[in-house]
């Protein structure tokens, strides 16, 4: 009884006790207090018969079981009909019935029940036991309700698990409907969802029939039960469809309308989602007390749908984002490819432009030189006197021609600089000397405008520089300063030694040259651009002054090639200052200067006995780091060479006492000297003029391909291009040389005379010149003088071909013709020294 009471109470707590249940409970408790309160004693006499005991038992264990139990008792005890029973038999039945009741309500309660029953027999209290039976029955029912409730709870729990284990809406809906079918036993169930267009669509259905999903779309409104359920968010239960009024439209498919059905709204707080429908073939399959369960289940489903939709949205967004990122990445990749292509095209264009300018300039220079030459002749009155008008016009032609020539030279310089083909002829030079030379050149210009030139020079150590190039920079800065300064202004040049930080805590020594003027100045925004090619600040002065806009970019390249820097400062209207600095230690200059890589032990031998020449050679070569020795005889040269470490042999071309060609032949055949560079020189007896004729090789032909290649190999370090110019009168021989040259990768051009050769050289700079000495000597002399007096062709190597059949006498005659023909008076000794330095700087650094 206590256990049942506990069960009753917990059932009541869980199921919310009804008023009836509460009443029953209190009457039951009261009833069992009554017999004691009334002082009733259990009586043995007047014991009831078997049918009465059976009726009592039936109240607790049911009619059927009670009857079976009593019949069993009678048979087991082999008894007659009960009126004939003895008291002892009746008492045994009493105990048996008590045990039976005890099986239902517990032994203690059964004892109370039996005693109370016997004591109250025949009194009004007998009806109490009907009540006891009812209470017990209601306890059974409550237990059933609890079971039902637990079942519902476990279904909801299972539904929650299904909802969280999947994020696919169709999977969730299907599993919920399956639960309803399997655990509740509904015959048909379906879920309709509202789509974005406001149409209610059948999303999932479970039932014995197949529904045409697509045909059941419904625009929900209050005319259908489904619409009402959705829009009002209310559960609609139809316990008996046969009772539905004829005008009632459900909105369901006929298969879904069984004997009873319910419609449950699916919604979150902010959104209506759809309708869940469950139908059964039984009427009243959905009792009112179960409706809460459907509401809870619908809440669970709504939450799951909401979550799954959110997830779908997130997935869609992230997919869209991924696609967008991929698209953008591809776009960027394409753009950068396009850019790279455009960049490449631009670079190619730039290269073509430079190449074009260089080619055109070469082409222009020759005719322009002729124009200038003829103009000069006319101006000199060679072709007769000129009247004043003609004189003026020709002067204008000459002036314009010179400007054009300057422009062409600038373009050629720049293209060489940009292609990295400009080499520096580094030498130790005094900045004072360089400055003096530049000032001397520019002085007439300053004087013409009455501009005062002021020099403020600090003594600085000698610099390792290409003298000509630094003079070019200075001339450009000075001529600009004079050009952009009004008459009576001032131009100042200042030279100082300075220190600049190179790395934290490390100072480097530089020489700074400042060229300042009191001229028109340059605006701040133009200062950034003036070092760019072809840039001129657009002012009346610039337009009047002319110019090319190439001077500063060339100067910048030249200074940087020396490891220096150049910059400009200016106050507009007041003047400008251009400064360039050059490093004092030449160690970082490219290419490595002669002095930075001296080879003191390397020897230069001169085959001469002329004192003037020996003196100049010694004075020039020893400071460059060479060991110098002059020997008057070939044998002595060979003996010295045998000691090794020979860098070059200088051959005095004008020496009368040496059989020139025979000596060369010997040097070229002896082991000690055959691979040593040969530098022929022509030096005047009075020591005032001279010309360096090397680098040169002499090849006796016919020869083997091997001998020819060997000669070329020695000349190769001097060849800037693999383009050869062959000067040869005999077309057959010329063809032969061309073929051989082509075989070793050279392109060859053939000309037949010295004159033609010079015309060619004015336009095209070859990498090698091949000359047959059989030509008239005058032709040879013209070509040699032409190439060795031009800065550009000065280092182009010369390969002289000597016919074997010439004979000793003819050779001597040739040497004499050469001696007499080489008119070198035009070339002062300073020029000779500069040329020597140029050629031996290269020998020191490259031709090893
Ligand atoms: P160019 O003098 O042949 O025009 P540059 O490259 O030497 O070419 O100079 C470029 C431009 O820089 C000049 O056209 C001029 O506008 C400006 N410029 C150069 N030097 C000076 C200066 N000393 N004063 C004012 N402007 C200058």
């Amino acid at each position: 009884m206590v256990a049942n009471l506990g069960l009753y109470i917990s059932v009541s707590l869980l199921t919310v006790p009804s008023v009836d249940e509460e009443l029953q409970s209190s009457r039951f408790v009261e009833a069992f207090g009554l017999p004691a309160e009334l002082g009733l004693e259990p009586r043995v006499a007047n014991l009831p018969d078997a049918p009465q005991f059976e009726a009592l038992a039936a109240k607790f264990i049911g009619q059927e079981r009670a009857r079976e139990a009593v019949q069993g008792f009678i048979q087991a005890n082999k008894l007659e009909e009960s009126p004939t029973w003895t008291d002892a038999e009746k008492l045994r039945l009493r105990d048996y019935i008590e045990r039976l009741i005890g099986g239902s309500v517990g032994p203690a309660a059964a004892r109370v029940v039996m005693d109370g029953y016997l004591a109250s027999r025949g009194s009004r209290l007998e009806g109490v036991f009907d009540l006891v039976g009812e209470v017990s029955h209601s306890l059974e029912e409550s237990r059933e309700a609890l079971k039902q409730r637990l079942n519902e709870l476990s279904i909801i729990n299972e539904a929650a698990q299904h909802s969280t284990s999947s994020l696919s809406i169709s999977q969730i809906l299907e599993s919920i409907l399956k639960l309803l079918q399997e655990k509740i036993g509904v015959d048909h169930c379906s879920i309709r969802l509202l789509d974005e267009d406001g149409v209610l669509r059948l999303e999932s259905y479970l039932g014995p029939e197949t529904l045409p999903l697509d045909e059941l779309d419904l625009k929900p409104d209050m005319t259908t039960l489904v619409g009402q359920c959705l829009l009002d968010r209310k559960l609609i239960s139809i316990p008996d469809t046969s009772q539905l009024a004829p005008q009632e439209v459900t909105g369901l498919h006929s298969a879904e309308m069984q004997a009873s059905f319910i419609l449950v709204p699916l919604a979150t707080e902010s959104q209506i989602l759809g309708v869940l429908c469950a139908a059964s073939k039984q009427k009243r399959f959905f009792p009112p007390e179960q409706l809460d369960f459907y509401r809870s289940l619908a809440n669970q489903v709504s939450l799951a749908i909401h979550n799954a939709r959110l997830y779908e949205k997130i997935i869609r967004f992230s997919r869209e984002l991924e696609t967008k990122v991929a698209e953008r990445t591809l776009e960027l990749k394409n753009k950068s490819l396009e850019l790279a292509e455009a960049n490449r095209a631009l670079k190619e264009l730039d290269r073509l432009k430079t190449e074009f300018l260089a080619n055109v300039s070469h082409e222009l220079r020759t005719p322009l030189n002729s124009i200038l030459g003829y103009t000069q002749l006319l101006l000199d009155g060679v072709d007769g006197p000129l009247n004043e008008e003609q004189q003026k016009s020709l002067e204008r032609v000459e002036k314009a021609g010179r400007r054009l020539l300057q422009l062409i030279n600038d373009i050629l310089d720049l293209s060489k600089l940009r292609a990295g083909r400009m080499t520096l002829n580094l030498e130790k030079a005094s900045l004072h000397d360089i400055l003096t030379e530049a000032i001397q050149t520019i002085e007439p210009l300053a004087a013409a405008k009455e501009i005062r030139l002021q020099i403020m020079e600090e003594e600085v150590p000698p610099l390792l520089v290409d003298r000509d190039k630094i003079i070019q920079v200075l001339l450009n800065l000075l001529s600009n300063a004079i050009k952009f300064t009004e008459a009576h202004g001032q131009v100042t040049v200042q030279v100082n030694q300075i220190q600049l930080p190179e790395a934290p805590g490390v100072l480097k020594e530089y020489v700074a040259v400042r060229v300042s003027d009191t001229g028109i100045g340059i605006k701040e925004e133009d200062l950034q651009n003036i070092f760019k090619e072809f840039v001129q600040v657009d002012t009346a002065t610039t337009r009047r002054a002319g110019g090319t806009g190439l001077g500063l970019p060339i100067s910048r390249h030249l200074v940087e090639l020396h490891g220096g820097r150049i910059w400009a400062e200016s106050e507009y209207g007041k003047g400008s200052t251009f400064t360039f600095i050059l490093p004092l230690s030449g160690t970082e200059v490219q290419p490595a200067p002669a002095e930075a890589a001296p080879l003191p032990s390397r020897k230069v031998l001169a085959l001469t006995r002329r004192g003037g020449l020996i003196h100049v050679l010694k004075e020039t070569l020893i400071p460059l780091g060479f060991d110098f020795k002059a020997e008057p005889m070939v044998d002595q040269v060979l003996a010295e060479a045998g000691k090794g470490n020979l860098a070059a042999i200088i051959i005095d071309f004008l020496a009368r006492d040496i059989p020139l060609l025979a000596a060369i032949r010997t040097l070229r055949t002896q082991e000690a000297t055959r691979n040593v560079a040969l530098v022929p020189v022509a030096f005047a007896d009075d020591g005032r003029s001279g010309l360096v004729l090397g680098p040169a090789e002499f090849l006796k032909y016919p020869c083997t391909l091997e001998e020819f290649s060997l000669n070329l190999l020695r000349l190769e370090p001097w060849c800037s291009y693999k383009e050869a110019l062959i000067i040869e009168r005999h077309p057959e021989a010329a063809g032969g040389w061309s073929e051989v040259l082509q075989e070793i990768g050279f392109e060859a051009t053939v000309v037949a005379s010295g004159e033609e050769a010079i015309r060619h050289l004015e336009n095209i700079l070859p990498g090698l010149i091949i000359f047959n000495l059989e030509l008239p000597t005058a032709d040879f002399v013209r070509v040699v003088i032409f190439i060795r007096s031009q800065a550009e062709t000065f280092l182009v190597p010369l390969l002289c071909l000597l016919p074997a059949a010439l004979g000793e006498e003819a050779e001597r005659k040739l040497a004499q013709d050469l001696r007499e023909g080489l008119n070198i008076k035009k070339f002062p000794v300073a020029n000779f020294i500069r040329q020597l330095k140029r050629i031996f700087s290269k020998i020191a650094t490259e031709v090893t």
Side-chain angles (χ1 to χ4, degrees):
M1 173 62 96
V2 174
N4 281 337
L5 207 64
L7 188 64
Y8 176 82
I9 290 163
S10 51
V11 165
S12 304
L13 281 176
L14 276 167
T15 57
V16 188
S18 67
V19 179
D20 282 356
E21 282 170 346
E22 271 179 14
L23 197 64
Q24 278 179 351
S25 159
S26 62
R27 279 162 66 191
F28 179 82
V29 174
E30 266 170 33
F32 284 98
L34 280 177
E37 261 174 45
L38 297 170
L40 294 174
E41 280 300 316
R43 281 184 289 166
V44 179
N46 193 19
L47 283 169
D49 289 333
Q52 282 147 332
F53 271 126
E54 189 185 307
L56 173 67
K59 294 187 201 298
F60 292 89
I61 60 170
Q63 195 70 51
E64 197 69 12
R65 275 180 68 203
R67 194 171 50 246
E68 275 172 16
V70 172
Q71 287 305 316
F73 178 82
I74 291 171
Q75 278 168 17
N77 291 288
K78 299 189 176 65
L79 294 173
E80 299 291 319
E81 283 302 305
S82 72
T84 62
W85 288 7
T86 62
D87 277 351
E89 283 161 344
K90 285 182 183 173
L91 272 175
R92 235 182 306 137
L93 179 62
R94 170 199 174 280
D95 290 343
Y96 176 66
I97 295 295
E98 189 183 313
R99 275 202 307 281
L100 267 183
I101 294 172
S104 170
V105 298
R111 161 88 27 89
V112 174
V113 166
M114 188 52 82
D115 287 351
Y117 170 69
L118 293 177
S120 62
R121 257 178 52 82
S123 77
R124 65 180 174 87
L125 283 175
E126 214 174 344
V128 166
F129 292 92
D130 289 338
L131 186 63
V132 171
E134 271 174 41
V135 167
S136 177
H137 188 66
S138 115
L139 277 177
E140 272 303 312
E141 276 184 355
S142 295
R143 209 180 295 157
E144 268 309 304
L146 178 71
K147 233 165 96 192
Q148 175 71 21
R149 211 56 205 270
L150 281 175
N151 187 34
E152 289 171 9
L153 277 175
S154 92
I155 293 171
I156 288 181
N157 183 34
E158 222 176 299
Q161 274 175 11
H162 283 303
S163 310
T164 49
S165 66
S166 167
L167 283 164
S168 142
I169 292 186
S170 60
Q171 263 180 29
I172 294 171
L173 300 186
E174 208 173 296
S175 65
I176 302 281
L177 294 185
K178 240 188 207 149
L179 268 179
L180 281 175
Q181 234 185 15
E182 285 167 8
K183 299 276 164 85
I184 305 279
V186 298
D187 296 312
H188 289 253
C189 46
S190 64
I191 290 176
R192 290 168 162 76
L193 293 180
L194 202 59
D195 68 12
E196 283 166 1
D197 306 328
V199 176
L200 201 57
R201 291 216 155 90
L202 188 66
E203 293 288 337
S204 198
Y205 168 78
L206 264 191
E209 285 151 63
T210 316
L211 296 194
L213 288 185
D214 300 344
E215 292 169 21
L216 294 172
D217 292 358
L218 182 82
K219 201 89 182 163
D221 55 30
M222 299 305 277
T223 59
T224 59
L225 289 181
V226 173
Q228 288 165 24
C229 164
L230 180 83
L231 302 172
D232 278 356
R233 299 178 178 220
K234 69 169 187 203
L235 186 148
I236 295 172
S237 173
I238 307 293
D240 184 353
T241 43
S242 61
Q243 306 288 311
L244 267 175
Q247 75 278 9
E248 205 97 63
V249 182
T250 58
L252 298 172
H253 187 265
S254 56
E256 294 175 277
M257 283 186 298
Q258 302 286 318
S260 61
F261 68 86
I262 53 165
L263 299 171
V264 196
L266 299 172
T268 62
E269 252 179 46
S270 57
Q271 222 183 348
I272 48 174
L273 301 171
V275 174
L276 175 129
C277 170
S280 172
K281 286 178 194 152
Q282 289 174 39
K283 287 183 185 162
R284 275 171 277 285
F285 185 77
F286 306 98
E289 62 269 23
Q290 241 185 32
L291 297 184
D292 269 347
F293 156 73
Y294 287 102
R295 285 192 187 96
S296 304
L297 188 70
N299 281 344
Q300 194 59 52
V301 176
S302 305
L303 202 68
I305 293 171
H306 184 66
N307 284 346
R309 281 189 174 167
L310 273 182
Y311 177 73
E312 267 178 8
K313 243 186 210 169
I314 290 170
I315 291 290
R316 202 171 57 241
F317 281 155
S318 75
R319 292 230 172 92
E320 278 172 18
L321 207 67
E322 253 173 44
T323 320
K324 271 192 185 136
V325 168
E327 278 170 12
R328 285 281 136 76
T329 314
L330 195 71
E331 256 173 48
L332 269 178
K333 215 168 141 189
N334 287 341
K335 278 264 149 52
S336 68
L337 280 179
E338 275 170 30
L339 270 179
E341 179 54 25
N343 201 7
R344 201 196 54 72
L346 271 178
K347 271 192 184 148
E348 178 60 12
L349 259 179
D350 193 46
R351 193 188 65 75
L352 285 176
K353 183 198 82 182
T354 311
E355 208 176 285
F356 170 76
L357 281 176
N359 290 343
V360 167
S361 304
H362 259 303
E363 296 290 328
L364 287 176
R365 202 159 53 162
T366 317
L368 190 59
N369 268 324
S370 311
I371 293 171
L372 283 172
Y374 284 114
T375 313
Q376 197 58 56
L377 283 179
L378 288 174
L379 280 170
D380 290 348
V382 177
D383 292 334
L386 302 171
N387 64 31
E388 205 177 315
E389 267 312 295
Q390 287 168 331
Q391 177 88 15
K392 264 193 199 154
S393 299
L394 276 176
E395 273 168 6
R396 267 190 229 122
V397 170
E398 211 248 344
K399 205 169 156 201
R402 296 244 163 258
R403 268 176 53 191
L404 195 54
L405 191 62
Q406 180 61 42
L407 171 64
I408 291 168
N409 286 337
D410 281 354
I411 290 174
L412 283 171
D413 265 1
L414 200 67
S415 59
K416 250 197 232 163
L417 280 163
R418 287 176 49 149
R421 288 214 323 252
M422 178 78 86
T423 47
L424 294 181
N425 296 303
L426 295 170
E427 56 184 316
K428 220 170 192 169
S430 139
L431 189 60
H432 173 78
D433 291 351
I434 292 177
L435 189 59
T436 312
E437 196 173 325
I439 295 284
Q440 276 169 5
T441 316
I442 212 81
E443 249 167 1
L445 270 183
K449 282 179 88 175
E450 293 185 42
I451 287 173
R452 207 160 78 87
L453 270 177
Q454 193 186 13
I455 318 292
M456 294 161 72
E457 217 187 336
E458 191 178 272
E459 200 175 318
V460 294
L463 291 169
L464 194 67
V465 289
D466 184 323
R467 210 185 131 87
D468 294 344
K469 302 288 186 303
I470 300 300
I471 290 181
Q472 192 179 343
V473 173
L474 266 170
L475 284 179
N476 178 47
L477 297 185
L478 284 166
S479 63
N480 274 350
I482 293 167
K483 203 156 66 171
F484 297 109
T485 301
E486 297 300 327
H488 312 295
Q490 177 161 324
V491 171
T492 309
V493 185
Q494 216 179 331
V495 176
N496 297 98
Q497 186 170 339
I498 59 163
Q499 287 180 328
L500 290 175
E502 190 185 31
V506 183
L507 290 173
K508 197 172 166 183
E509 298 282 341
Y510 288 89
V511 169
V513 181
R514 281 188 192 86
V515 178
S516 326
D517 61 58
T518 55
I520 59 169
I522 305 162
K523 284 186 191 152
E524 178 109 31
E525 63 266 29
D526 294 328
L527 268 182
Q528 330 278 341
N529 297 322
I530 52 172
F531 288 97
K532 290 182 187 159
E533 288 153 27
F534 297 106
V535 169
Q536 291 183 303
V537 181
D538 187 23
T539 62
T541 322
T542 321
R543 282 194 296 275
R544 201 171 53 240
T548 60
L550 285 176
L552 289 177
I554 289 174
S555 300
R556 198 196 70 198
H557 275 297
L558 289 175
V559 168
E560 285 174 358
L561 211 56
H562 280 86
R565 275 190 292 136
I566 185 167
W567 67 92
E569 295 149 286
S570 182
E571 201 176 328
Y572 187 56
K574 294 212 164 144
S576 318
T577 299
F578 283 78
T579 308
F580 69 92
I581 57 169
L582 297 169
L584 255 178
S585 77
T587 43
E588 283 165 37
V589 179
Q590 294 295 330
E595 203 182 69
L599 297 168
S601 60
R602 297 209 65 199
K603 253 182 304 190
V604 176
L605 294 176
L607 178 59
T608 183
R609 62 168 78 233
R610 293 196 296 151
L613 175 60
I614 294 172
H615 175 75
V616 173
L617 291 175
K618 201 180 205 166
E619 290 294 304
T620 315
L621 297 177
I622 289 179
L624 286 181
F626 289 102
D627 229 2
F628 174 77
K629 207 164 184 191
E631 298 291 353
M633 311 283 280
V634 179
D635 289 351
Q636 289 158 326
V637 170
L638 288 174
E640 262 313 310
K643 295 177 191 163
N645 224 356
L646 193 56
I649 299 169
I650 295 175
I651 299 169
D652 182 358
F653 239 57
L654 302 190
R656 283 182 198 86
D657 52 347
I658 297 170
L660 188 65
L661 298 176
I664 290 171
R665 229 182 354 257
T666 312
L667 293 176
R668 275 297 166 246
T669 45
Q670 295 300 308
E671 189 55 39
T673 52
R674 64 189 295 185
N675 288 325
V676 181
L678 288 187
V679 183
V681 296
F683 191 76
D685 274 340
D686 59 8
R688 291 169 67 170
S689 53
L691 197 62
V692 176
L693 306 176
E697 275 301 331
F698 299 85
L699 176 66
K700 193 162 148 196
Y701 76 91
C703 62
T704 62
L705 184 61
E706 196 194 344
E707 284 168 322
F708 184 71
S709 308
L710 190 74
N711 269 270
L712 274 187
L713 213 63
R714 280 193 295 261
L715 289 178
E716 208 164 20
W718 303 93
C719 300
S720 303
Y721 322 98
K722 289 209 150 180
E723 277 169 37
L725 174 69
I726 304 175
I727 308 166
E728 169 67 74
R729 271 197 301 177
H730 308 295
E732 264 173 44
W737 294 122
S738 298
E739 264 173 39
V740 175
L741 281 168
Q742 270 156 14
E743 258 174 53
I744 50 173
F746 272 81
E747 262 181 48
T749 308
V750 182
V751 293
S753 69
E755 202 179 324
E756 249 186 86
I758 288 169
R759 270 208 301 279
H760 181 88
L761 287 168
E762 276 172 344
N763 293 314
I764 292 163
L765 187 66
L768 171 71
I769 297 172
I770 299 186
F771 205 107
N772 192 337
L773 282 179
E774 237 191 340
L775 275 175
T777 318
D779 267 12
F780 174 78
V781 167
R782 273 178 79 177
V783 173
V784 170
I785 287 187
F786 179 83
I787 61 171
R788 294 306 182 230
S789 60
Q790 308 273 325
E792 277 164 20
T793 46
F794 172 65
L795 283 179
V796 176
L798 197 61
L799 178 58
C800 307
L801 303 172
L802 197 62
L806 215 53
E808 216 175 293
E809 186 51 35
E811 273 188 15
R812 211 177 25 248
K813 167 92 172 45
L814 179 62
Q816 192 186 335
D817 286 351
L818 284 177
R819 265 201 313 271
E820 283 163 12
L822 277 168
N823 182 1
I824 50 167
K825 287 216 174 61
K826 279 198 287 180
F827 307 104
V829 71
N831 183 67
F832 178 75
I833 293 171
R834 204 174 299 159
Q835 285 187 338
L836 268 183
K837 282 182 183 170
R838 242 179 110 178
I839 204 164
F840 277 91
S841 295
K842 192 165 163 75
I843 287 176
T845 55
E846 284 183 42
V847 189
T848 52

